[in-house]
């Protein structure tokens, strides 16, 4: 994933999170690097069991309050 914020200082630092709308199944199957935005598979996928996943993510700055 890639996001940018044109603010300065800490307000321009971005973290990546799974959206609160992401299912627990997705969170069990995948991990996300908070700073790099890399999504990785935790285990093996079984296409016959599940043929696709919808992964909603949020890019949030480190400002006060944080903005998405």
């Amino acid at each position: 994933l890639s996001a940018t914020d044109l603010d300065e200082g800490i307000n321009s630092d971005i973290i990546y999170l799974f959206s609160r709308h992401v299912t627990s199944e997705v969170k069990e199957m995948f991990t996300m690097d908070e700073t790099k935005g890399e999504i990785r598979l935790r285990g093996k996928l079984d296409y016959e069991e599940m043929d696709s996943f919808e992964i909603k993510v949020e890019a949030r700055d480190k400002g006060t309050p944080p903005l998405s």
Side-chain angles (χ1 to χ4, degrees):
L1 304 170
S2 179
T4 56
D5 189 327
L6 298 178
D7 289 339
E8 294 181 1
I10 199 164
N11 290 358
S12 67
D13 293 340
I14 303 285
I15 60 171
Y16 301 93
L17 309 160
F18 288 120
S19 166
R20 65 179 178 261
H21 303 289
V22 169
T23 65
S24 59
E25 181 180 40
V26 167
K27 291 179 183 178
E28 290 173 8
M29 291 293 296
F30 300 92
T31 63
M32 182 167 8
D33 183 300
E34 189 177 84
T35 57
K36 295 179 185 178
E38 293 177 350
I39 298 174
R40 295 189 180 250
L41 185 60
R42 287 184 188 239
K44 295 181 180 180
L45 292 177
D46 184 347
Y47 183 78
E48 292 175 1
E49 190 175 305
M50 179 70 87
D51 63 353
S52 67
F53 289 89
E54 183 172 323
I55 304 174
K56 295 183 180 187
V57 297
E58 182 178 331
R60 184 185 299 169
D61 70 16
K62 293 182 180 178
T64 306
L67 299 175
S68 300

